Amino acid sequence: MEAQKENRPQGARHEAVVPAHTPGKQRCRLDGEENNGQHCTSSSSDYSDPVYKEIAVTNGYINRMSRNELRAKLAEFKLETRGVKDVLKKRLKNYYKKQKLMQKEPTNGDSYYDYICVIDFEATCEEDNQSEFTHEIIEFPIVLLNTHTLEIEDTFQQYVKPEINPQLSNFCINLTGITQDHVDKADAFPQVLQNVVDWMRQRELGTKYSYTILTDGSWDMSKFLNIQCRISQIKYPSFAKKWINIRKSYGNFYKLPRNQTKLTVMLEKLGMNYHGRPHSGLDDSKNIARIAIRMLQDGCELRVNERIHGGQLMSVSSSAPVEGAPAPQMPCFRN
């Protein structure tokens, strides 16, 4: 729900760079804080190892490269060459660091999530969005990203019938493309959530396969889902209590300011165009998944960085262990 989200308070030879490619991930600071000047940490705490001096020297080479030199070097290693200069530098630095650290201590790929569920709700809205207006979820999309193949494996989409404001505003219809007929024929939220749980169970998420949720910002879970559960008088679902806020991850990984983490800007910085209809929940989710795929390709280990506790939004430290969400269950109704 991009429009609503934007109004929230909120001299050496370059041949020295890089050996052949092998897969691996780098842990990224995702809690919005610096770590002694570094945004990423390796699995080893022994920074006296000569490999870190070699990485630092190479980073100096990369910092002096022009955009064309960066693109040529990335192409040499069959890496993506699109993006602004800062993104290209980060991509090449991370590639080199990843190779050197994997030679020193190979990464255990089994510890990462098998799937990421990208969710971007659409909700009722008005043009001025007065503070007393209650947003109700009217589209529940999921894009299932396989972290092993780095492909979108499946999608889910259902519209939801709002209760408090059953008549959509013209602004909402024009913004989202969701019509009055769509929501009039839709199920109420508890049934849609049950359908979501069934869909996730059929794909064995949380049982056979580990997974987590990823969103474009904090509000999908901490506000929209939280409010909707209260409206529908059901408890907040346990599988959605932790998630990856990709805006926070993106800004920290590529060292870009918060004002450059809007969905369309993130795509632009990566040299990508938006595919589909803006403010369609499913299309937004697909484009967010494309950003996540590129970040994983660039070596960022996307990790849970936010959670909701007692109805309040909280950060999750990047030092917390990778832990998948629980098997989805339909929450109980409130007393």
Side-chain angles (χ1 to χ4, degrees):
M1 193 96 193
E2 194 70 27
Q4 293 180 30
K5 290 173 183 174
E6 291 315 302
N7 293 325
R8 301 168 189 174
Q10 299 279 0
R13 287 178 61 84
H14 304 314
E15 285 75 12
V17 181
V18 251
H21 174 68
T22 41
K25 294 289 185 292
Q26 178 181 355
R27 179 178 298 180
C28 303
R29 293 288 300 179
L30 303 183
D31 54 7
E33 299 178 356
E34 300 291 335
N35 183 22
N36 297 326
Q38 298 295 321
H39 285 275
C40 299
T41 60
S42 80
S43 57
S44 171
S45 60
D46 183 11
Y47 288 96
S48 64
D49 192 296
V51 70
Y52 294 103
K53 182 176 181 180
E54 185 177 349
I55 290 169
V57 170
T58 302
N59 285 347
Y61 296 157
I62 294 172
N63 285 335
R64 293 190 290 272
M65 295 171 77
S66 69
R67 187 170 185 270
N68 286 338
E69 288 173 322
L70 289 165
R71 293 186 66 196
K73 185 57 65 174
L74 288 164
E76 181 181 328
F77 301 114
K78 297 182 172 57
L79 299 173
E80 177 59 59
T81 60
R82 291 179 295 175
V84 296
K85 187 175 180 181
D86 285 344
V87 167
L88 300 182
K89 286 197 294 185
K90 178 66 176 180
R91 186 172 297 149
L92 190 55
K93 286 178 181 179
N94 197 62
Y95 174 81
Y96 180 70
K97 181 176 182 179
K98 186 169 57 179
Q99 306 313 309
K100 299 307 293 183
L101 293 181
M102 284 193 65
Q103 291 172 15
K104 180 175 181 291
E105 184 177 342
T107 303
N108 178 10
D110 293 337
S111 64
Y112 194 60
Y113 318 110
D114 295 310
Y115 288 96
I116 293 175
C117 292
V118 182
I119 298 175
D120 193 78
F121 296 124
E122 295 302 317
T124 54
C125 55
E126 294 181 335
E127 190 164 9
D128 52 3
N129 270 344
Q130 297 291 328
S131 58
E132 66 271 14
F133 183 82
T134 301
H135 298 286
E136 298 174 82
I137 293 173
I138 54 174
E139 182 186 358
F140 199 135
I142 305 176
V143 170
L144 188 64
L145 168 59
N146 185 319
T147 66
H148 302 289
T149 65
L150 296 184
E151 293 179 350
I152 293 174
E153 191 168 297
D154 205 349
T155 62
F156 173 95
Q157 181 197 37
Q158 283 194 1
Y159 297 113
V160 185
K161 180 183 292 185
E163 299 177 35
I164 296 176
N165 294 296
Q167 191 72 30
L168 301 182
S169 67
N170 288 332
F171 173 79
C172 185
I173 292 171
N174 293 331
L175 178 71
T176 65
I178 299 172
T179 67
Q180 189 64 46
D181 190 54
H182 283 142
V183 297
D184 285 345
K185 293 179 178 178
D187 290 323
F189 182 77
Q191 182 58 57
V192 173
L193 183 58
Q194 180 64 67
N195 297 342
V196 167
V197 169
D198 293 342
W199 184 87
M200 296 173 75
R201 283 178 173 174
Q202 288 168 9
R203 281 142 192 84
E204 300 180 279
L205 300 179
T207 50
K208 183 176 181 180
Y209 302 109
S210 63
Y211 77 102
T212 193
I213 289 171
L214 182 147
T215 64
D216 176 30
S218 303
W219 276 27
D220 288 280
M221 299 299 151
S222 67
K223 180 170 183 178
F224 294 138
L225 183 57
N226 194 22
I227 290 173
Q228 185 62 59
C229 288
R230 294 180 184 179
I231 293 169
S232 300
Q233 297 185 314
I234 57 176
K235 294 184 178 180
Y236 191 96
S238 59
F239 66 86
K241 288 186 175 181
K242 296 180 182 179
W243 61 89
I244 299 167
N245 177 348
I246 198 170
R247 293 191 182 201
K248 191 180 288 187
S249 307
Y250 182 98
N252 286 339
F253 185 66
Y254 294 117
K255 299 185 180 180
L256 295 172
R258 182 178 296 182
N259 63 4
Q260 294 185 18
T261 59
K262 181 182 175 183
L263 176 55
T264 53
V265 177
M266 288 192 286
L267 288 166
E268 179 186 346
K269 292 291 182 182
L270 293 173
M272 302 162 72
N273 296 319
Y274 186 97
H275 292 171
R277 188 193 192 286
H279 310 300
S280 155
L282 183 60
D283 285 347
D284 280 355
S285 298
K286 288 178 179 178
N287 282 278
I288 296 163
R290 292 172 61 219
I291 294 170
I293 289 169
R294 180 60 54 79
M295 292 181 70
L296 291 168
Q297 289 171 335
D298 283 352
C300 180
E301 186 182 74
L302 291 164
R303 298 166 64 91
V304 163
N305 53 16
E306 290 183 343
R307 66 188 179 103
I308 191 168
H309 180 73
Q312 300 298 312
L313 173 66
M314 304 181 74
S315 290
V316 174
S317 171
S318 64
S319 62
V322 173
E323 190 174 69
Q329 292 185 349
M330 184 64 189
C332 300
F333 281 88
R334 297 175 184 269
N335 294 327

